[in-house]
Amino acid sequence: MPSAQAPHYYEPPVFISALQIKEKIRVLGEQINRDYGQQEITAICTLKGSVLFYTDLLKELKMPIKCEFLGLSSYGNQTKSSGEVKVTLDLNEHLDGKHVIIFEDIVDSGLTLSYVLEYLKMRKPLSLKTAALLFKPEALQVKNLTIDYLGFKIENEFVVGYGLDYAQKFRGLPYIGKLNP
Ligand code: 5GP
C-alpha cells in the first residue's frame, strides 16, 4: 500500500532562482523581438534539456513561429561530456530560406552546439542564430562559437534543474541548482 507520507526529495541548493531566470528570459525575448520584428522564425528546441527554456522564451516572442524539435544525446548518466553527439529525433520541416534560431539549454564544451550548427547549415537556412540559457566559458573546447542570445555565464560546475537533469532527475525544478559534489 502506498505511504500517506509525502516522499522526501533531495532539493539542490538554488544557484539561479526562478525569478532571475524569468527576468533574463524577458530580456532575451525583447532582444529577439527587436532583431526579427514580424519576420517568421523557425525555433528549434534541442531535446530534452532545453524544453523549459524554449517554452518560456517562446511566450515572450511576438513574430510567427514554426516550432521544431531536434533530439540529441551526448551525455548518458555521466556528468562529463562523452564528446559524441547523436541525433535521436530529426526535424520535420525543411529549413531552406528560413530564419532559424536554435535553443540550447547549456553550452559546456560547445561540441553539441557546434555539431548542431554544422548539421543545420547543410539545410541552407537564410539565417542561423543561437540562444542558450547557460554558458560555461572555462569548459569551451571549440573555436568560433557564437551565442547570439545568452542567459547566464557560469563557472565550470555541474548544474541541474529547469530542464537540466542528472540521470533524469531534477528536470522539473523551477530554478537552476548546483548538485552536491
Ligand atoms: P557540450 O556539448 O557543450 O559539452 O554539452 C552540451 C550538453 O551537455 C547540454 O545540452 C546538456 O545536455 C549537457 N550538459 C552540459 N553541462 C551540463 C550541466 O552542468 N548540467 C547538466 N545537467 N547537463 C549539462
Side-chain angles (χ1 to χ4, degrees), residues 75 104-106 108-112 136 157-159 164-165:
Y75 262 82
E104 177 74 317
D105 47 5
I106 183 164
D108 183 19
S109 68
L111 292 168
T112 307
K136 298 182 194 171
E157 284 176 291
F158 197 78
V159 291
L164 289 163
D165 75 311

Side-chain angles (χ1 to χ4, degrees), residues 45-97:
C45 174
T46 57
L47 297 175
K48 303 167 187 148
S50 312
V51 167
L52 299 194
F53 173 52
Y54 180 76
T55 51
D56 281 348
L57 187 43
L58 245 59
K59 290 182 219 163
E60 301 292 327
L61 302 183
K62 312 251 187 277
M63 70 287 289
I65 303 169
K66 279 203 161 140
C67 293
E68 284 290 315
F69 297 88
L70 187 62
L72 300 171
S73 91
S74 63
Y75 262 82
N77 287 348
Q78 313 290 309
T79 56
K80 286 254 160 62
S81 172
S82 66
E84 268 175 50
V85 182
K86 206 168 73 183
V87 174
T88 54
L89 176 76
D90 211 344
L91 306 174
N92 272 327
E93 294 278 333
H94 68 88
L95 301 181
D96 216 4

Side-chain angles (χ1 to χ4, degrees), residues 4-170:
Q5 267 190 332
H8 177 75
Y9 293 113
Y10 168 67
E11 292 193 358
V14 176
F15 175 48
I16 302 173
S17 71
L19 202 64
Q20 284 173 291
I21 296 172
K22 193 170 180 222
E23 175 54 20
K24 186 64 79 177
I25 282 185
R26 194 187 58 73
V27 172
L28 293 179
E30 273 177 10
Q31 288 174 7
I32 296 175
N33 284 327
R34 211 171 34 234
D35 289 354
Y36 289 86
Q38 273 309 301
Q39 295 183 96
E40 182 186 278
I41 63 164
T42 300
I44 301 180
C45 174
T46 57
L47 297 175
K48 303 167 187 148
S50 312
V51 167
L52 299 194
F53 173 52
Y54 180 76
T55 51
D56 281 348
L57 187 43
L58 245 59
K59 290 182 219 163
E60 301 292 327
L61 302 183
K62 312 251 187 277
M63 70 287 289
I65 303 169
K66 279 203 161 140
C67 293
E68 284 290 315
F69 297 88
L70 187 62
L72 300 171
S73 91
S74 63
Y75 262 82
N77 287 348
Q78 313 290 309
T79 56
K80 286 254 160 62
S81 172
S82 66
E84 268 175 50
V85 182
K86 206 168 73 183
V87 174
T88 54
L89 176 76
D90 211 344
L91 306 174
N92 272 327
E93 294 278 333
H94 68 88
L95 301 181
D96 216 4
K98 305 281 183 197
H99 292 296
V100 173
I101 307 179
I102 172 102
F103 291 74
E104 177 74 317
D105 47 5
I106 183 164
V107 178
D108 183 19
S109 68
L111 292 168
T112 307
L113 189 56
S114 52
Y115 175 90
V116 171
L117 285 169
E118 288 312 310
Y119 186 73
L120 298 178
K121 272 180 202 160
M122 290 190 299
R123 300 179 179 211
K124 307 265 186 294
L126 191 56
S127 68
L128 180 57
K129 287 199 180 187
T130 52
L133 180 65
L134 302 168
F135 173 42
K136 298 182 194 171
E138 288 162 32
L140 194 65
Q141 288 177 29
V142 295
K143 289 195 182 123
N144 305 325
L145 189 66
T146 306
I147 304 171
D148 299 288
Y149 306 103
L150 174 64
F152 303 92
K153 279 187 191 168
I154 63 168
E155 290 183 2
N156 196 2
E157 284 176 291
F158 197 78
V159 291
V160 293
Y162 197 66
L164 289 163
D165 75 311
Y166 173 67
Q168 305 306 327
K169 283 185 272 187
F170 310 118

